[in-house]
Amino acid sequence: GAGVSQSPSNKVTEKGKDVELRCDPISGHTALYWYRQSLGQGLEFLIYFQGNSAPDKSGLPSDRFSAERTGGSVSTLTIQRTQQEDSAVYLCASSLGGGRSDTQYFGPGTRLTVL
Amino acid sequence: GNSVTQMEGPVTLSEEAFLTINCTYTATGYPSLFWYVQYPGEGLQLLLKATKADDKGSNKGFEATYRKETTSFHLEKGSVQVSDSAVYFCALSDRWSNQGGKLIFGQGTELSVKP
């Protein structure tokens, strides 16, 4: 079946612009995660959605970052007023439930470059 | 707080050599432990996992045993192949986390296998 998809695969933007990154999870998966992979910080958790519950935003690095998940499916990560330190690969993952032992399936990522 | 430490790379081996990548963790609860692999140009994918102490995860000839007494989850393979060249990430998911199955990753270990 279809895996997790993300778009765009690459995004180049200028400092100060807003960007939107999209994630389509595996159908039927109730849990959705965003992570960031950068050279300096490795793989970091950003935000977690579970069903219709309020998202856990504790990993978002600043208030310029926000995310939503519509209809319990597609998610959008928005970065406002991008900075050069936001350059990274943004990964989305989904799992069947939100349990600690559930396998997370990752998308291919969106590579964001802020000039 | 929770953390994962894995041996630094890059690790370079000849084909058919024995592989060990060390991983130790710190967690406040009873975590599940994972090894994820990222092949060149591909997304993160689960290699194996273990959800409780003394469990052994295995896949594609790789093995790792959940050792609570030494807080370790070392990855081993008896005979590596060129196709095993990738970056390997150790990760944990803490049972007591209110962030669902949020993964905390080690810094990654790059493995290069030469023919």
Side-chain angles (χ1 to χ4, degrees), chain B residues 16-51:
Chain B
E16 299 184 2
F18 184 86
L19 168 71
T20 299
I21 301 178
N22 290 336
C23 172
T24 57
Y25 68 89
T26 301
T28 53
Y30 300 89
S32 291
L33 300 173
F34 305 81
W35 277 100
Y36 278 82
V37 59
Q38 192 169 33
Y39 296 103
E42 299 185 17
L44 270 173
Q45 55 186 276
L46 179 71
L47 180 59
L48 53 84
K49 68 179 180 182
T51 59

PDB file of all heavy atoms in Angstrom, chain B residues 16-51:
ATOM      1  N   GLU B  16      31.680  -9.154   4.787  1.00  0.00           N
ATOM      2  CA  GLU B  16      31.689 -10.362   5.616  1.00  0.00           C
ATOM      3  C   GLU B  16      32.283 -10.135   7.003  1.00  0.00           C
ATOM      4  O   GLU B  16      32.377 -11.094   7.789  1.00  0.00           O
ATOM      5  CB  GLU B  16      32.411 -11.522   4.910  1.00  0.00           C
ATOM      6  CG  GLU B  16      31.732 -11.912   3.598  1.00  0.00           C
ATOM      7  CD  GLU B  16      32.376 -13.119   2.939  1.00  0.00           C
ATOM      8  OE1 GLU B  16      33.332 -13.681   3.506  1.00  0.00           O
ATOM      9  OE2 GLU B  16      31.914 -13.503   1.846  1.00  0.00           O
ATOM     10  N   ALA B  17      32.658  -8.916   7.326  1.00  0.00           N
ATOM     11  CA  ALA B  17      33.150  -8.635   8.682  1.00  0.00           C
ATOM     12  C   ALA B  17      31.980  -8.619   9.660  1.00  0.00           C
ATOM     13  O   ALA B  17      30.809  -8.491   9.283  1.00  0.00           O
ATOM     14  CB  ALA B  17      33.881  -7.301   8.706  1.00  0.00           C
ATOM     15  N   PHE B  18      32.330  -8.719  10.966  1.00  0.00           N
ATOM     16  CA  PHE B  18      31.339  -8.653  12.042  1.00  0.00           C
ATOM     17  C   PHE B  18      31.100  -7.190  12.415  1.00  0.00           C
ATOM     18  O   PHE B  18      32.034  -6.407  12.513  1.00  0.00           O
ATOM     19  CB  PHE B  18      31.849  -9.421  13.259  1.00  0.00           C
ATOM     20  CG  PHE B  18      30.866  -9.495  14.391  1.00  0.00           C
ATOM     21  CD1 PHE B  18      29.903 -10.497  14.416  1.00  0.00           C
ATOM     22  CD2 PHE B  18      30.877  -8.559  15.427  1.00  0.00           C
ATOM     23  CE1 PHE B  18      28.982 -10.567  15.452  1.00  0.00           C
ATOM     24  CE2 PHE B  18      29.957  -8.630  16.459  1.00  0.00           C
ATOM     25  CZ  PHE B  18      29.008  -9.641  16.475  1.00  0.00           C
ATOM     26  N   LEU B  19      29.831  -6.867  12.632  1.00  0.00           N
ATOM     27  CA  LEU B  19      29.463  -5.489  12.946  1.00  0.00           C
ATOM     28  C   LEU B  19      28.889  -5.385  14.345  1.00  0.00           C
ATOM     29  O   LEU B  19      28.030  -6.193  14.733  1.00  0.00           O
ATOM     30  CB  LEU B  19      28.407  -4.986  11.962  1.00  0.00           C
ATOM     31  CG  LEU B  19      27.721  -3.661  12.324  1.00  0.00           C
ATOM     32  CD1 LEU B  19      28.685  -2.487  12.163  1.00  0.00           C
ATOM     33  CD2 LEU B  19      26.468  -3.445  11.480  1.00  0.00           C
ATOM     34  N   THR B  20      29.359  -4.401  15.085  1.00  0.00           N
ATOM     35  CA  THR B  20      28.704  -3.984  16.327  1.00  0.00           C
ATOM     36  C   THR B  20      28.613  -2.467  16.317  1.00  0.00           C
ATOM     37  O   THR B  20      29.618  -1.794  16.080  1.00  0.00           O
ATOM     38  CB  THR B  20      29.495  -4.400  17.582  1.00  0.00           C
ATOM     39  OG1 THR B  20      29.619  -5.809  17.627  1.00  0.00           O
ATOM     40  CG2 THR B  20      28.776  -3.922  18.838  1.00  0.00           C
ATOM     41  N   ILE B  21      27.422  -1.953  16.553  1.00  0.00           N
ATOM     42  CA  ILE B  21      27.229  -0.520  16.770  1.00  0.00           C
ATOM     43  C   ILE B  21      26.629  -0.374  18.166  1.00  0.00           C
ATOM     44  O   ILE B  21      25.537  -0.869  18.441  1.00  0.00           O
ATOM     45  CB  ILE B  21      26.299   0.124  15.731  1.00  0.00           C
ATOM     46  CG1 ILE B  21      26.862  -0.058  14.320  1.00  0.00           C
ATOM     47  CG2 ILE B  21      26.118   1.618  16.037  1.00  0.00           C
ATOM     48  CD1 ILE B  21      25.977   0.514  13.214  1.00  0.00           C
ATOM     49  N   ASN B  22      27.372   0.287  19.035  1.00  0.00           N
ATOM     50  CA  ASN B  22      26.944   0.413  20.423  1.00  0.00           C
ATOM     51  C   ASN B  22      25.878   1.493  20.594  1.00  0.00           C
ATOM     52  O   ASN B  22      25.937   2.560  19.972  1.00  0.00           O
ATOM     53  CB  ASN B  22      28.137   0.738  21.321  1.00  0.00           C
ATOM     54  CG  ASN B  22      29.079  -0.434  21.460  1.00  0.00           C
ATOM     55  OD1 ASN B  22      28.692  -1.583  21.280  1.00  0.00           O
ATOM     56  ND2 ASN B  22      30.333  -0.150  21.768  1.00  0.00           N
ATOM     57  N   CYS B  23      24.922   1.204  21.466  1.00  0.00           N
ATOM     58  CA  CYS B  23      23.864   2.156  21.802  1.00  0.00           C
ATOM     59  C   CYS B  23      23.537   2.010  23.277  1.00  0.00           C
ATOM     60  O   CYS B  23      23.283   0.899  23.748  1.00  0.00           O
ATOM     61  CB  CYS B  23      22.616   1.897  20.967  1.00  0.00           C
ATOM     62  SG  CYS B  23      21.172   2.869  21.471  1.00  0.00           S
ATOM     63  N   THR B  24      23.571   3.104  24.013  1.00  0.00           N
ATOM     64  CA  THR B  24      23.119   3.119  25.396  1.00  0.00           C
ATOM     65  C   THR B  24      22.076   4.209  25.558  1.00  0.00           C
ATOM     66  O   THR B  24      22.022   5.156  24.777  1.00  0.00           O
ATOM     67  CB  THR B  24      24.276   3.367  26.383  1.00  0.00           C
ATOM     68  OG1 THR B  24      24.917   4.601  26.039  1.00  0.00           O
ATOM     69  CG2 THR B  24      25.300   2.248  26.333  1.00  0.00           C
ATOM     70  N   TYR B  25      21.244   4.051  26.577  1.00  0.00           N
ATOM     71  CA  TYR B  25      20.142   4.999  26.737  1.00  0.00           C
ATOM     72  C   TYR B  25      19.968   5.412  28.186  1.00  0.00           C
ATOM     73  O   TYR B  25      20.423   4.729  29.104  1.00  0.00           O
ATOM     74  CB  TYR B  25      18.834   4.393  26.204  1.00  0.00           C
ATOM     75  CG  TYR B  25      18.324   3.228  27.025  1.00  0.00           C
ATOM     76  CD1 TYR B  25      17.475   3.424  28.107  1.00  0.00           C
ATOM     77  CD2 TYR B  25      18.712   1.928  26.720  1.00  0.00           C
ATOM     78  CE1 TYR B  25      17.025   2.358  28.876  1.00  0.00           C
ATOM     79  CE2 TYR B  25      18.263   0.855  27.473  1.00  0.00           C
ATOM     80  CZ  TYR B  25      17.428   1.074  28.547  1.00  0.00           C
ATOM     81  OH  TYR B  25      16.985   0.015  29.301  1.00  0.00           O
ATOM     82  N   THR B  26      19.294   6.514  28.364  1.00  0.00           N
ATOM     83  CA  THR B  26      18.839   6.985  29.675  1.00  0.00           C
ATOM     84  C   THR B  26      17.352   7.256  29.547  1.00  0.00           C
ATOM     85  O   THR B  26      16.928   7.968  28.633  1.00  0.00           O
ATOM     86  CB  THR B  26      19.557   8.285  30.081  1.00  0.00           C
ATOM     87  OG1 THR B  26      20.965   8.056  30.120  1.00  0.00           O
ATOM     88  CG2 THR B  26      19.095   8.753  31.448  1.00  0.00           C
ATOM     89  N   ALA B  27      16.566   6.654  30.445  1.00  0.00           N
ATOM     90  CA  ALA B  27      15.116   6.849  30.380  1.00  0.00           C
ATOM     91  C   ALA B  27      14.533   6.774  31.780  1.00  0.00           C
ATOM     92  O   ALA B  27      15.008   6.019  32.619  1.00  0.00           O
ATOM     93  CB  ALA B  27      14.470   5.803  29.479  1.00  0.00           C
ATOM     94  N   THR B  28      13.473   7.542  32.008  1.00  0.00           N
ATOM     95  CA  THR B  28      12.839   7.557  33.318  1.00  0.00           C
ATOM     96  C   THR B  28      11.806   6.454  33.473  1.00  0.00           C
ATOM     97  O   THR B  28      11.469   6.080  34.564  1.00  0.00           O
ATOM     98  CB  THR B  28      12.149   8.910  33.553  1.00  0.00           C
ATOM     99  OG1 THR B  28      11.278   9.175  32.439  1.00  0.00           O
ATOM    100  CG2 THR B  28      13.169  10.024  33.650  1.00  0.00           C
ATOM    101  N   GLY B  29      11.290   5.938  32.389  1.00  0.00           N
ATOM    102  CA  GLY B  29      10.244   4.930  32.462  1.00  0.00           C
ATOM    103  C   GLY B  29      10.726   3.590  31.954  1.00  0.00           C
ATOM    104  O   GLY B  29      11.824   3.151  32.242  1.00  0.00           O
ATOM    105  N   TYR B  30       9.871   2.958  31.175  1.00  0.00           N
ATOM    106  CA  TYR B  30      10.178   1.645  30.610  1.00  0.00           C
ATOM    107  C   TYR B  30      10.093   1.749  29.090  1.00  0.00           C
ATOM    108  O   TYR B  30       9.057   1.462  28.497  1.00  0.00           O
ATOM    109  CB  TYR B  30       9.185   0.608  31.135  1.00  0.00           C
ATOM    110  CG  TYR B  30       9.225   0.483  32.642  1.00  0.00           C
ATOM    111  CD1 TYR B  30       8.411   1.290  33.440  1.00  0.00           C
ATOM    112  CD2 TYR B  30      10.091  -0.396  33.259  1.00  0.00           C
ATOM    113  CE1 TYR B  30       8.462   1.197  34.824  1.00  0.00           C
ATOM    114  CE2 TYR B  30      10.145  -0.504  34.643  1.00  0.00           C
ATOM    115  CZ  TYR B  30       9.324   0.309  35.416  1.00  0.00           C
ATOM    116  OH  TYR B  30       9.373   0.225  36.777  1.00  0.00           O
ATOM    117  N   PRO B  31      11.174   2.174  28.473  1.00  0.00           N
ATOM    118  CA  PRO B  31      11.080   2.502  27.043  1.00  0.00           C
ATOM    119  C   PRO B  31      10.999   1.286  26.137  1.00  0.00           C
ATOM    120  O   PRO B  31      11.391   0.181  26.521  1.00  0.00           O
ATOM    121  CB  PRO B  31      12.384   3.254  26.794  1.00  0.00           C
ATOM    122  CG  PRO B  31      13.342   2.672  27.781  1.00  0.00           C
ATOM    123  CD  PRO B  31      12.512   2.390  29.013  1.00  0.00           C
ATOM    124  N   SER B  32      10.490   1.517  24.954  1.00  0.00           N
ATOM    125  CA  SER B  32      10.706   0.611  23.833  1.00  0.00           C
ATOM    126  C   SER B  32      11.944   1.110  23.098  1.00  0.00           C
ATOM    127  O   SER B  32      12.234   2.308  23.076  1.00  0.00           O
ATOM    128  CB  SER B  32       9.505   0.623  22.884  1.00  0.00           C
ATOM    129  OG  SER B  32       8.378   0.032  23.491  1.00  0.00           O
ATOM    130  N   LEU B  33      12.672   0.182  22.503  1.00  0.00           N
ATOM    131  CA  LEU B  33      13.933   0.527  21.835  1.00  0.00           C
ATOM    132  C   LEU B  33      13.883   0.109  20.374  1.00  0.00           C
ATOM    133  O   LEU B  33      13.293  -0.934  20.037  1.00  0.00           O
ATOM    134  CB  LEU B  33      15.108  -0.159  22.540  1.00  0.00           C
ATOM    135  CG  LEU B  33      15.295   0.199  24.016  1.00  0.00           C
ATOM    136  CD1 LEU B  33      16.387  -0.664  24.644  1.00  0.00           C
ATOM    137  CD2 LEU B  33      15.621   1.674  24.177  1.00  0.00           C
ATOM    138  N   PHE B  34      14.485   0.924  19.533  1.00  0.00           N
ATOM    139  CA  PHE B  34      14.397   0.738  18.090  1.00  0.00           C
ATOM    140  C   PHE B  34      15.758   0.963  17.438  1.00  0.00           C
ATOM    141  O   PHE B  34      16.582   1.745  17.924  1.00  0.00           O
ATOM    142  CB  PHE B  34      13.419   1.760  17.465  1.00  0.00           C
ATOM    143  CG  PHE B  34      12.038   1.773  18.054  1.00  0.00           C
ATOM    144  CD1 PHE B  34      11.771   2.443  19.242  1.00  0.00           C
ATOM    145  CD2 PHE B  34      11.008   1.127  17.405  1.00  0.00           C
ATOM    146  CE1 PHE B  34      10.492   2.473  19.778  1.00  0.00           C
ATOM    147  CE2 PHE B  34       9.717   1.146  17.938  1.00  0.00           C
ATOM    148  CZ  PHE B  34       9.470   1.818  19.118  1.00  0.00           C
ATOM    149  N   TRP B  35      15.948   0.288  16.318  1.00  0.00           N
ATOM    150  CA  TRP B  35      16.995   0.665  15.381  1.00  0.00           C
ATOM    151  C   TRP B  35      16.311   1.010  14.061  1.00  0.00           C
ATOM    152  O   TRP B  35      15.542   0.197  13.514  1.00  0.00           O
ATOM    153  CB  TRP B  35      18.006  -0.463  15.167  1.00  0.00           C
ATOM    154  CG  TRP B  35      19.059  -0.522  16.223  1.00  0.00           C
ATOM    155  CD1 TRP B  35      19.119  -1.359  17.298  1.00  0.00           C
ATOM    156  CD2 TRP B  35      20.227   0.300  16.294  1.00  0.00           C
ATOM    157  NE1 TRP B  35      20.240  -1.110  18.041  1.00  0.00           N
ATOM    158  CE2 TRP B  35      20.939  -0.099  17.456  1.00  0.00           C
ATOM    159  CE3 TRP B  35      20.765   1.321  15.504  1.00  0.00           C
ATOM    160  CZ2 TRP B  35      22.154   0.498  17.837  1.00  0.00           C
ATOM    161  CZ3 TRP B  35      21.953   1.912  15.879  1.00  0.00           C
ATOM    162  CH2 TRP B  35      22.642   1.496  17.029  1.00  0.00           C
ATOM    163  N   TYR B  36      16.584   2.227  13.591  1.00  0.00           N
ATOM    164  CA  TYR B  36      16.123   2.656  12.284  1.00  0.00           C
ATOM    165  C   TYR B  36      17.335   2.766  11.369  1.00  0.00           C
ATOM    166  O   TYR B  36      18.456   3.047  11.811  1.00  0.00           O
ATOM    167  CB  TYR B  36      15.415   4.014  12.357  1.00  0.00           C
ATOM    168  CG  TYR B  36      13.969   3.936  12.779  1.00  0.00           C
ATOM    169  CD1 TYR B  36      13.618   3.835  14.122  1.00  0.00           C
ATOM    170  CD2 TYR B  36      12.949   3.933  11.826  1.00  0.00           C
ATOM    171  CE1 TYR B  36      12.276   3.757  14.492  1.00  0.00           C
ATOM    172  CE2 TYR B  36      11.616   3.856  12.194  1.00  0.00           C
ATOM    173  CZ  TYR B  36      11.288   3.767  13.530  1.00  0.00           C
ATOM    174  OH  TYR B  36       9.968   3.677  13.900  1.00  0.00           O
ATOM    175  N   VAL B  37      17.108   2.576  10.070  1.00  0.00           N
ATOM    176  CA  VAL B  37      18.187   2.647   9.086  1.00  0.00           C
ATOM    177  C   VAL B  37      17.785   3.596   7.970  1.00  0.00           C
ATOM    178  O   VAL B  37      16.616   3.663   7.591  1.00  0.00           O
ATOM    179  CB  VAL B  37      18.531   1.244   8.542  1.00  0.00           C
ATOM    180  CG1 VAL B  37      17.336   0.583   7.873  1.00  0.00           C
ATOM    181  CG2 VAL B  37      19.714   1.304   7.578  1.00  0.00           C
ATOM    182  N   GLN B  38      18.763   4.329   7.500  1.00  0.00           N
ATOM    183  CA  GLN B  38      18.540   5.262   6.385  1.00  0.00           C
ATOM    184  C   GLN B  38      19.551   4.932   5.292  1.00  0.00           C
ATOM    185  O   GLN B  38      20.740   5.258   5.407  1.00  0.00           O
ATOM    186  CB  GLN B  38      18.711   6.697   6.870  1.00  0.00           C
ATOM    187  CG  GLN B  38      18.245   7.756   5.909  1.00  0.00           C
ATOM    188  CD  GLN B  38      18.200   9.143   6.555  1.00  0.00           C
ATOM    189  OE1 GLN B  38      19.014   9.461   7.422  1.00  0.00           O
ATOM    190  NE2 GLN B  38      17.250   9.957   6.149  1.00  0.00           N
ATOM    191  N   TYR B  39      19.069   4.252   4.228  1.00  0.00           N
ATOM    192  CA  TYR B  39      19.927   3.932   3.101  1.00  0.00           C
ATOM    193  C   TYR B  39      20.128   5.174   2.247  1.00  0.00           C
ATOM    194  O   TYR B  39      19.284   6.081   2.259  1.00  0.00           O
ATOM    195  CB  TYR B  39      19.327   2.792   2.281  1.00  0.00           C
ATOM    196  CG  TYR B  39      19.217   1.490   3.037  1.00  0.00           C
ATOM    197  CD1 TYR B  39      17.986   1.056   3.540  1.00  0.00           C
ATOM    198  CD2 TYR B  39      20.339   0.701   3.266  1.00  0.00           C
ATOM    199  CE1 TYR B  39      17.883  -0.122   4.245  1.00  0.00           C
ATOM    200  CE2 TYR B  39      20.242  -0.483   3.982  1.00  0.00           C
ATOM    201  CZ  TYR B  39      19.016  -0.887   4.474  1.00  0.00           C
ATOM    202  OH  TYR B  39      18.919  -2.056   5.187  1.00  0.00           O
ATOM    203  N   PRO B  40      21.212   5.242   1.510  1.00  0.00           N
ATOM    204  CA  PRO B  40      21.489   6.437   0.695  1.00  0.00           C
ATOM    205  C   PRO B  40      20.308   6.798  -0.193  1.00  0.00           C
ATOM    206  O   PRO B  40      19.796   5.955  -0.936  1.00  0.00           O
ATOM    207  CB  PRO B  40      22.710   6.008  -0.121  1.00  0.00           C
ATOM    208  CG  PRO B  40      23.386   4.971   0.705  1.00  0.00           C
ATOM    209  CD  PRO B  40      22.285   4.226   1.408  1.00  0.00           C
ATOM    210  N   GLY B  41      19.858   8.035  -0.085  1.00  0.00           N
ATOM    211  CA  GLY B  41      18.778   8.525  -0.928  1.00  0.00           C
ATOM    212  C   GLY B  41      17.398   8.040  -0.541  1.00  0.00           C
ATOM    213  O   GLY B  41      16.426   8.305  -1.261  1.00  0.00           O
ATOM    214  N   GLU B  42      17.287   7.351   0.580  1.00  0.00           N
ATOM    215  CA  GLU B  42      15.993   6.819   1.002  1.00  0.00           C
ATOM    216  C   GLU B  42      15.587   7.385   2.355  1.00  0.00           C
ATOM    217  O   GLU B  42      16.373   8.015   3.050  1.00  0.00           O
ATOM    218  CB  GLU B  42      16.029   5.295   1.060  1.00  0.00           C
ATOM    219  CG  GLU B  42      16.324   4.633  -0.273  1.00  0.00           C
ATOM    220  CD  GLU B  42      16.226   3.119  -0.205  1.00  0.00           C
ATOM    221  OE1 GLU B  42      15.633   2.594   0.769  1.00  0.00           O
ATOM    222  OE2 GLU B  42      16.750   2.467  -1.124  1.00  0.00           O
ATOM    223  N   GLY B  43      14.341   7.138   2.723  1.00  0.00           N
ATOM    224  CA  GLY B  43      13.845   7.602   4.009  1.00  0.00           C
ATOM    225  C   GLY B  43      14.182   6.640   5.133  1.00  0.00           C
ATOM    226  O   GLY B  43      14.645   5.525   4.924  1.00  0.00           O
ATOM    227  N   LEU B  44      13.918   7.087   6.347  1.00  0.00           N
ATOM    228  CA  LEU B  44      14.125   6.257   7.526  1.00  0.00           C
ATOM    229  C   LEU B  44      13.183   5.074   7.521  1.00  0.00           C
ATOM    230  O   LEU B  44      11.985   5.233   7.240  1.00  0.00           O
ATOM    231  CB  LEU B  44      13.830   7.066   8.787  1.00  0.00           C
ATOM    232  CG  LEU B  44      14.949   7.842   9.451  1.00  0.00           C
ATOM    233  CD1 LEU B  44      14.363   8.685  10.572  1.00  0.00           C
ATOM    234  CD2 LEU B  44      16.007   6.910   9.994  1.00  0.00           C
ATOM    235  N   GLN B  45      13.691   3.917   7.863  1.00  0.00           N
ATOM    236  CA  GLN B  45      12.821   2.756   7.978  1.00  0.00           C
ATOM    237  C   GLN B  45      13.221   1.932   9.186  1.00  0.00           C
ATOM    238  O   GLN B  45      14.389   1.871   9.559  1.00  0.00           O
ATOM    239  CB  GLN B  45      12.831   1.904   6.706  1.00  0.00           C
ATOM    240  CG  GLN B  45      14.190   1.452   6.245  1.00  0.00           C
ATOM    241  CD  GLN B  45      14.128   0.750   4.902  1.00  0.00           C
ATOM    242  OE1 GLN B  45      13.849  -0.438   4.849  1.00  0.00           O
ATOM    243  NE2 GLN B  45      14.400   1.479   3.833  1.00  0.00           N
ATOM    244  N   LEU B  46      12.233   1.299   9.788  1.00  0.00           N
ATOM    245  CA  LEU B  46      12.493   0.485  10.963  1.00  0.00           C
ATOM    246  C   LEU B  46      13.313  -0.731  10.576  1.00  0.00           C
ATOM    247  O   LEU B  46      12.992  -1.435   9.620  1.00  0.00           O
ATOM    248  CB  LEU B  46      11.184   0.034  11.598  1.00  0.00           C
ATOM    249  CG  LEU B  46      11.327  -0.859  12.824  1.00  0.00           C
ATOM    250  CD1 LEU B  46      11.849  -0.049  14.001  1.00  0.00           C
ATOM    251  CD2 LEU B  46       9.999  -1.515  13.174  1.00  0.00           C
ATOM    252  N   LEU B  47      14.362  -1.005  11.341  1.00  0.00           N
ATOM    253  CA  LEU B  47      15.150  -2.208  11.132  1.00  0.00           C
ATOM    254  C   LEU B  47      14.706  -3.302  12.109  1.00  0.00           C
ATOM    255  O   LEU B  47      14.424  -4.421  11.723  1.00  0.00           O
ATOM    256  CB  LEU B  47      16.639  -1.909  11.325  1.00  0.00           C
ATOM    257  CG  LEU B  47      17.608  -3.060  11.139  1.00  0.00           C
ATOM    258  CD1 LEU B  47      17.506  -3.648   9.744  1.00  0.00           C
ATOM    259  CD2 LEU B  47      19.039  -2.618  11.434  1.00  0.00           C
ATOM    260  N   LEU B  48      14.628  -2.952  13.393  1.00  0.00           N
ATOM    261  CA  LEU B  48      14.157  -3.891  14.401  1.00  0.00           C
ATOM    262  C   LEU B  48      13.777  -3.130  15.655  1.00  0.00           C
ATOM    263  O   LEU B  48      14.130  -1.972  15.810  1.00  0.00           O
ATOM    264  CB  LEU B  48      15.222  -4.959  14.713  1.00  0.00           C
ATOM    265  CG  LEU B  48      16.624  -4.498  15.083  1.00  0.00           C
ATOM    266  CD1 LEU B  48      16.724  -4.168  16.564  1.00  0.00           C
ATOM    267  CD2 LEU B  48      17.658  -5.566  14.731  1.00  0.00           C
ATOM    268  N   LYS B  49      13.068  -3.817  16.554  1.00  0.00           N
ATOM    269  CA  LYS B  49      12.686  -3.176  17.804  1.00  0.00           C
ATOM    270  C   LYS B  49      12.549  -4.215  18.908  1.00  0.00           C
ATOM    271  O   LYS B  49      12.433  -5.418  18.645  1.00  0.00           O
ATOM    272  CB  LYS B  49      11.371  -2.410  17.642  1.00  0.00           C
ATOM    273  CG  LYS B  49      10.149  -3.279  17.414  1.00  0.00           C
ATOM    274  CD  LYS B  49       8.900  -2.394  17.289  1.00  0.00           C
ATOM    275  CE  LYS B  49       7.646  -3.243  17.048  1.00  0.00           C
ATOM    276  NZ  LYS B  49       6.424  -2.385  16.865  1.00  0.00           N
ATOM    277  N   ALA B  50      12.557  -3.736  20.147  1.00  0.00           N
ATOM    278  CA  ALA B  50      12.326  -4.573  21.323  1.00  0.00           C
ATOM    279  C   ALA B  50      11.550  -3.740  22.330  1.00  0.00           C
ATOM    280  O   ALA B  50      11.865  -2.564  22.536  1.00  0.00           O
ATOM    281  CB  ALA B  50      13.639  -5.059  21.925  1.00  0.00           C
ATOM    282  N   THR B  51      10.539  -4.315  22.919  1.00  0.00           N
ATOM    283  CA  THR B  51       9.637  -3.531  23.756  1.00  0.00           C
ATOM    284  C   THR B  51       9.777  -3.777  25.242  1.00  0.00           C
ATOM    285  O   THR B  51       9.186  -3.060  26.049  1.00  0.00           O
ATOM    286  CB  THR B  51       8.176  -3.771  23.347  1.00  0.00           C
ATOM    287  OG1 THR B  51       7.894  -5.161  23.486  1.00  0.00           O
ATOM    288  CG2 THR B  51       7.947  -3.347  21.903  1.00  0.00           C
TER     289      THR B  51
END
